[in-house]
Amino acid sequence: MSIIKNDFEKMNITKIKNSKNKKNLTMITAYDALFAKLFEEIADIILVGDSLNMSFAGKPDTLSATLDQMIYHTNAVCSGAPKSFVVLDMPFGTYINNDEALKNAIKVYAQTNAAAIKIEGGEDRADIVKHLTSNSIAVMGHIGLMPQYVRSEGGYKVRGKTKEDEEQLIADAIAIEKAGAFAIVIEGVMSDVAKKITQAVNIPTIGIGAGNVTDGQVLVWSDMLGFFESFKPKFVRHYLDGATLVKEAVSQYRNDVQDKSFPSIEEEY
Ligand code: KIV
């Protein structure tokens, strides 16, 4: 019996906001049309994450992703999954002040069908979020462990381990909500703190490495499908052993080429 449900509902900002306390949101990353199409009628939201710089481009962190690359991949995702609510992750350096942020967000809206953008930051970026939302840009926030801060923070650190940090994270979420964001990603946060953050705001929180206490979850597709072999973070669940399946399939192909069992008579013109 198939576990694929036939209950797809196209998302919009209002439905996402109204999902709080009613439905757990499923978000997944995608970077190309092929995979986006596979995820289209299953996930509520597709995020074109700047994580593509690591998993797609093989770089050590997300920092060198450019806006043009994000636009290119978002167009591929929107072509593959036209019914999906697609969010473009604004790359490092593209929202350093109000003017830059708005100019770049308008470029995203002009050149893609992305429904929204995501930016990292809490209280420190609330003014920028406010400037964007008051100019009709739909913004998803991202607080907690923020990969774009990796070099300034000296690594990826789980957040919310002290009372002071807990208070800062709650203040970050409230500031981003007040600034008009429609949802907030909470990454790498102690689950008891993620729960308090989720209770402190009226917009949905979408967790990654933040326990099952948030209003939804997000995973990077290549992590959850087991294509990323270097290491498995504690918060990732492998739903497929993609790397092994692909290697076995390509090895089978090579064997068939070597012993000339591919192509067969049926596969020739
Ligand atoms: O870039 C990304 O994929 C992300 C998710 C991990 C939330 O920001």
Side-chain angles (χ1 to χ4, degrees):
M1 198 184 67
S2 172
I3 56 160
I4 301 176
K5 292 185 190 160
N6 223 345
D7 58 356
F8 175 71
E9 184 191 7
K10 189 173 166 36
M11 280 292 153
N12 58 39
I13 296 286
T14 311
K15 286 184 191 169
I16 291 172
K17 280 187 181 169
N18 289 345
S19 71
K20 179 117 185 158
N21 299 323
K22 291 193 196 94
K23 167 187 167 142
N24 293 323
L25 294 168
T26 306
M27 182 157 93
I28 188 168
T29 67
Y31 315 127
D32 62 73
L34 195 64
F35 276 89
K37 182 147 195 58
L38 297 178
F39 307 152
E40 182 176 34
E41 297 203 4
I42 305 173
D44 296 306
I45 304 172
I46 296 183
L47 171 68
V48 186
D50 61 356
S51 53
L52 71 81
N53 206 46
M54 299 169 79
S55 64
F56 190 88
K59 301 277 168 48
D61 57 37
T62 62
L63 300 190
S64 55
T66 67
L67 188 60
D68 286 336
Q69 285 166 348
M70 298 307 297
I71 287 173
Y72 172 86
H73 286 277
T74 300
N75 277 323
V77 167
C78 291
S79 299
K83 291 185 231 156
S84 287
F85 187 95
V86 175
V87 179
L88 177 147
D89 207 3
M90 295 297 278
F92 180 67
T94 59
Y95 49 97
I96 47 171
N97 58 42
N98 287 355
D99 290 345
E100 275 293 299
L102 186 58
K103 184 186 83 189
N104 287 325
I106 289 171
K107 179 170 168 175
V108 168
Y109 270 10
Q111 296 187 11
T112 76
N113 284 331
I117 60 167
K118 176 169 84 57
I119 74 172
E120 295 181 10
E123 272 187 318
D124 58 329
R125 295 262 163 77
D127 282 354
I128 292 173
V129 174
K130 176 84 194 143
H131 190 61
L132 291 168
T133 57
S134 52
N135 281 286
S136 307
I137 306 291
V139 178
M140 174 180 279
H142 182 154
I143 64 167
L145 184 162
M146 295 175 287
Q148 291 179 12
Y149 290 57
V150 60
R151 296 191 199 172
S152 63
E153 293 283 323
Y156 298 107
K157 294 181 186 145
V158 174
R159 299 280 310 272
K161 289 186 171 170
T162 63
K163 192 73 197 154
E164 195 189 356
D165 201 31
E166 171 183 324
E167 283 166 9
Q168 181 59 58
L169 289 165
I170 293 171
D172 285 341
I174 292 171
I176 293 299
E177 177 183 29
K178 265 202 187 137
F182 69 92
I184 307 176
V185 168
I186 304 179
E187 177 165 0
V189 170
M190 302 299 286
S191 63
D192 58 327
V193 176
K195 186 173 182 180
K196 290 181 189 165
I197 298 169
T198 298
Q199 287 167 347
V201 293
N202 295 307
I203 52 175
T205 58
I206 302 177
I208 175 162
N212 71 355
V213 292
T214 49
D215 301 307
Q217 297 290 330
V218 53
L219 281 175
V220 170
W221 78 266
S222 43
D223 288 343
M224 64 159 293
L225 296 182
F227 284 99
F228 185 69
E229 289 187 289
S230 308
F231 75 102
K232 185 179 108 39
K234 184 177 180 189
F235 61 84
V236 169
R237 184 180 295 177
H238 280 168
Y239 285 88
L240 189 75
D241 185 1
T244 304
L245 289 174
V246 167
K247 284 190 213 169
E248 282 175 359
V250 178
S251 297
Q252 183 64 54
Y253 166 57
R254 185 195 56 184
N255 295 347
D256 293 351
V257 170
Q258 285 178 348
D259 69 13
K260 285 197 163 288
S261 61
F262 175 81
S264 63
I265 303 284
E266 293 75 37
E267 287 157 335
E268 70 182 29
Y269 291 109

